[in-house]
Each structure stands twice: as structure tokens, then as C-alpha cells.
Amino acid sequence: TQRDMLVKARARAGGHAVCTVAGERFLSSRQFFQVRLAGRSISALCVADGKTCSILGWSEHVQLQRNTQWPFRYSGAVTMSALPDERGLREELRVTAKKLGLVGLFGCDFIENRNGDLSLVDLNPRPPATTPLHLAQADIINVHLHPNHEVFAHQQAAATAVVYADIPIRITKKIDWPSWTSDIPNEERTYCSGEPLCTLWVSAVDTRSAEAL
């Protein structure tokens, strides 16, 4: 049914180009349908070297600033513990990465249903937005360019959130941005409602505390 389908655009990121199906419609050459699944949205940060594939960490997507115009836009994520049995999944990802010729960091988005079963939604052949939750900033480029580089993923719980403008807001260069922000505006202007303003990063002793921060 139409309620069970989404329309997505190719080569777009952040969920802004995802919408529900309303009435009959014809797709452009850069659009496609995708089945809408029920469950929690989770993401795996992976690294492949052409022969092997490892999962460096998991995170759960969170919706902190819900928006009716862009209901599926990326809002943030919080780290989560590894799944009970990843061996089969790692092998499937290894085969997939090898067939696609993936080398370096990439992300996989899944929907996990109430039974714990995973359905692959997207495979992003690049370091995803959640990468800094699992790797130190200095390690990201090294791991991406040299997948065999020994790396130690963060053990501490962490969370990230994108702050969007709810209303038009003037951002000046006089703002003293805290050290736990990134992607801050580089020009002084008025930002429209819905535009991203910055990204927040926090760490904590456990996942619940990180998400609360």
C-alpha cells in the first residue's frame, strides 16, 4: 500500500530527500521506491580492506528535533552495544564489500524489528556522520586510507546531535562556540528555518547518560 512505501532520491544524504507516498506519482530517473519498515533505526560503522570486513561500532539514530516537512532528516545518534551475534553479518558485509569494491570506512543503516532481525536500508560507501562516535578524529583518515591500520574504537558511550534552526536566526561571528561543537557556520548571515547550525558531541559513562546530555 502507499502507506508502506517511501520515495527516496539517489545521491542524497541526511534524509531530506525521503518522503512518504501520497497519491499516484511518477518517479524521476533519480528517484526510487523503498518499503517502509517498522522498528528502530540503527547504524554500523564498518571498514573493509578488500578481503576482510570489520564492524567498528554501532549507533542508534535519535529524533531530537522532529520536523513535519522533513520527517526523515538525520537528527543525531547515540552509541549502543554490539549485537549478540555479528559473525554472520560480518561475513555478509565482507562478501558485499568485496563485490562492490569497497575499501576503507563505510556505513550501513538497518531497521531492527522487535524480534531482533535486521533489514538493510542503506549502504553508504563513505565514512558516515556517526564515524566520530567510534573513532578519534586523528584516526579517521588513517583508517579510511589504510584499512589495515591498527585502530582502537572508543569504548566510552557517546552521542551526537545536529542543531537545526526552528525559525530564521541571525548568526554572527561574535559567537564563542564551545569545544564540543563542530560544523559551525563560517559566514555571518541569517539562517532559514530547517538549516543546520552546528553539530553537538558528548561522551558519558553509559549510553543512557550520553543520550540525556
Side-chain angles (χ1 to χ4, degrees):
T1 64
Q2 291 181 353
R3 288 184 181 179
D4 300 324
M5 301 297 292
L6 299 172
V7 174
K8 306 183 82 171
R10 303 179 190 275
R12 295 288 298 276
H16 285 85
V18 182
C19 61
T20 55
V21 177
E24 292 187 15
R25 61 177 300 168
F26 296 94
L27 301 185
S28 72
S29 60
R30 300 194 61 80
Q31 292 180 312
F32 60 95
F33 287 116
Q34 188 173 70
V35 175
R36 185 173 186 175
L37 301 173
R40 69 169 180 164
S41 177
I42 62 177
S43 176
L45 175 64
C46 309
V47 60
D49 62 7
K51 295 181 180 179
T52 63
C53 181
S54 301
I55 299 175
L56 300 180
W58 288 90
S59 57
E60 179 178 359
H61 297 140
V62 293
Q63 281 289 344
L64 301 176
Q65 285 183 276
R66 297 188 181 277
N67 185 283
T68 55
Q69 186 175 356
W70 300 292
F72 302 101
R73 71 180 181 185
Y74 174 73
S75 180
V78 59
T79 54
M80 52 180 279
S81 57
L83 299 185
D85 184 6
E86 294 181 352
R87 288 175 297 178
L89 178 60
R90 282 199 304 269
E91 177 58 19
E92 291 181 15
L93 290 174
R94 183 193 68 80
V95 172
T96 301
K98 187 174 181 179
K99 286 185 177 180
L100 295 177
L102 291 178
V103 175
L105 294 168
F106 65 97
C108 290
D109 295 333
F110 300 89
I111 293 295
E112 182 185 35
N113 67 17
R114 63 180 62 184
N115 297 319
D117 299 323
L118 299 182
S119 296
L120 179 65
V121 176
D122 290 308
L123 188 155
N124 300 300
R126 52 169 172 73
T130 54
T131 301
L133 290 177
H134 309 289
L135 295 176
Q137 198 70 36
D139 286 332
I140 294 175
I141 294 298
N142 283 335
V143 176
H144 189 50
L145 298 180
H146 309 286
N148 292 317
H149 175 76
E150 187 175 11
V151 61
F152 299 96
H154 294 321
Q155 299 301 314
Q156 194 174 23
T160 182
V162 179
V163 178
Y164 295 94
D166 286 327
I167 59 174
I169 184 172
R170 180 79 178 173
I171 299 296
T172 70
K173 294 183 178 181
K174 296 181 180 180
I175 296 178
D176 184 15
W177 296 92
S179 60
W180 36 268
T181 60
S182 66
D183 307 317
I184 60 177
N186 58 9
E187 60 179 327
E188 186 172 314
R189 67 176 177 88
T190 298
Y191 287 77
C192 299
S193 175
E195 282 194 270
L197 300 177
C198 69
T199 304
L200 311 181
W201 302 93
V202 298
S203 57
V205 294
D206 56 49
T207 297
R208 181 173 295 180
S209 299
E211 185 173 3
L213 288 173

